[in-house]
């Protein structure tokens, strides 16, 4: 769920065609906006079950809405905790650091496009994504989803994919998108191949991403991860980013 998806005020639900196709059963998503009440959120979720008939409804709401899970349970829904997503942001102009010279946009190195899928597959192989909260989402298909997403971005928007090279070969990757009406760049998928971790590769990658965002006219960089991913949040601290919001993810089913 991207920064822009989270920004709306009300309760917004839709079928997830990509997930439905991938996992072979109906999946829908709902985002509870900040300015809705818990009653409105419950009504929106129940309406989404009626209209979209999902097996699993992946729901996100601001993490301070601590009563909402109980309210949904009282309406007969099974509520499975999946993750807490934390968003951080930083000033795009604040980038400084070594190693960013070896960060290249895929658009300038099209011969590396084929490496993006394999890099994402290795980087996220054991990643504890929210999908794994429900046994219905097969882990191999979850990983395939991330790989397909990265390959699609590499094919369609190579200017939004940045690679950190080590000895000329891709060691870390970031996929990005312009959000907030072009005022910000969001990092969607990013990480370092396990063989290259612990050597400043990710720090250099993000320094390059910040530089590219600034050069493209973005004022801010926005990025998110699971609250449990303290390693990457330490890296963000080192780059001057700050936490800005937290979102609860749950999987809802009819009880
Ligand atoms: C988290 C991850 C991106 C770190 O990549 P990396 O190239 O090893 O990171 P770097 O060597 O550049 O380290 C930068 C900083 O991150 C933090 N960090 C990195 N790995 C860490 C670890 N295992 N434990 C604690 N802190 C860690 C440190 O603050 C480090 O700075 P320091 O070395 O000065 O202490 C990498 O482990 C990864 O790709 N993980 C899986 C995917 C992922 O989590 N992606 C990000 C969120 S979607």
């Amino acid at each position: 769920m991207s920064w822009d998806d989270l920004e709306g005020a009300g309760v917004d639900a839709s079928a997830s065609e990509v997930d439905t196709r991938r996992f072979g059963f109906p999946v829908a998503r709902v985002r509870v906006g900040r300015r809705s009440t818990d009653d409105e959120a419950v009504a929106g979720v129940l309406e989404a079950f009626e209209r979209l008939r999902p097996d699993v409804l992946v729901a996100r709401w601001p993490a301070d809405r601590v009563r909402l899970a109980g309210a949904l349970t009282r309406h007969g829904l099974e509520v499975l905790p999946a993750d807490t997503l934390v968003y951080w942001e930083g000033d795009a102009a604040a980038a400084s650091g070594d190693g960013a010279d070896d960060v290249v946009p895929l658009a300038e190195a099209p011969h590396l496009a084929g490496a993006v899928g394999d890099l994402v597959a290795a980087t996220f192989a054991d990643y504890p994504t929210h999908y794994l909260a429900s046994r219905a989402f097969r882990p191999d298909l979850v990983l395939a989803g991330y790989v397909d997403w990265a390959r699609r971005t590499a094919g369609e928007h190579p200017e939004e994919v940045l690679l950190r090279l080590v000895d000329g070969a891709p060691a870390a990757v970031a996929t990005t998108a312009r959000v907030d009406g072009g005022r910000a760049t969001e990092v969607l998928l990013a990480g370092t191949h396990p063989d290259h971790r612990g050597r400043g590769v990710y720090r250099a990658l993000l320094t390059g991403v910040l530089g590219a965002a600034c050069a493209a006219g973005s004022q801010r960089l926005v990025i998110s991860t699971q609250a449990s991913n303290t390693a990457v949040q330490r890296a963000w601290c080192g780059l001057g980013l700050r936490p800005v919001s937290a979102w609860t993810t749950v999987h809802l089913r009819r009880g």
Side-chain angles (χ1 to χ4, degrees):
M1 198 169 271
S2 83
W3 177 265
D4 283 345
D5 293 329
L6 295 176
E7 280 306 287
V11 182
D12 194 23
S14 57
S16 173
E17 288 171 20
V18 173
D19 281 348
T20 298
R21 210 170 30 245
R22 179 173 312 286
F23 296 109
F25 55 84
V27 181
R29 289 178 177 259
V30 62
R31 186 239 40 233
V32 175
R34 289 187 188 288
R35 286 193 288 281
S36 62
T37 64
D38 281 2
D39 285 347
E40 286 164 349
V42 169
V45 164
L46 295 176
E47 186 276 333
F49 268 106
E50 276 307 309
R51 180 167 50 92
L52 304 168
R53 309 219 163 256
D55 281 10
V56 179
L57 184 58
V58 177
R60 285 211 160 110
W61 57 67
D64 59 1
R65 300 287 290 273
V66 291
R67 295 191 177 92
L68 194 44
L72 291 165
T73 307
R74 284 191 291 281
H75 280 80
L77 296 178
E78 180 186 291
V79 182
L80 215 58
D83 73 20
T84 301
L85 209 53
V86 287
Y87 277 79
W88 290 56
E89 67 175 33
D91 180 354
S96 66
D98 298 331
D101 292 349
D102 282 328
V103 177
V104 291
L106 185 59
E108 291 174 18
H111 62 288
L112 298 175
V116 169
D118 292 344
L119 184 49
V120 166
T123 300
F124 287 93
D126 299 312
Y127 194 78
T129 138
H130 78 85
Y131 284 107
L132 302 184
S134 290
R135 292 178 66 184
F137 295 118
R138 274 180 37 200
D140 57 328
L141 297 181
V142 172
L143 183 60
Y146 287 114
V147 171
D148 283 356
W149 185 23
R151 284 200 175 122
R152 218 168 35 244
T153 309
E156 294 170 8
H157 301 286
E159 71 289 353
E160 296 182 342
V161 179
L162 286 102
L163 297 167
R164 160 75 164 137
L165 307 182
V166 172
D167 298 331
V173 61
T175 68
T176 67
R178 293 299 281 278
V179 295
D180 194 16
R183 287 181 288 275
T185 293
E186 180 168 3
V187 179
L188 299 173
L189 266 183
T192 302
H193 189 288
D195 292 349
H196 294 280
R197 287 181 187 165
R199 292 175 217 154
V201 169
Y202 180 80
R203 186 198 313 276
L205 173 74
L206 266 223
T207 303
V209 170
L210 279 159
C214 188
S218 285
Q219 295 155 14
R220 292 152 37 237
L221 189 82
V222 177
I223 193 162
S224 61
T225 193
Q226 277 71 24
S228 58
N229 195 345
T230 50
V232 86
Q233 292 174 76
R234 285 185 190 210
W236 299 344
C237 275
L239 289 159
L241 276 62
R242 293 166 306 167
V244 289
S245 67
W247 290 78
T248 296
T249 312
V250 300
H251 295 175
L252 302 173
R253 284 175 175 273
R254 284 185 183 281

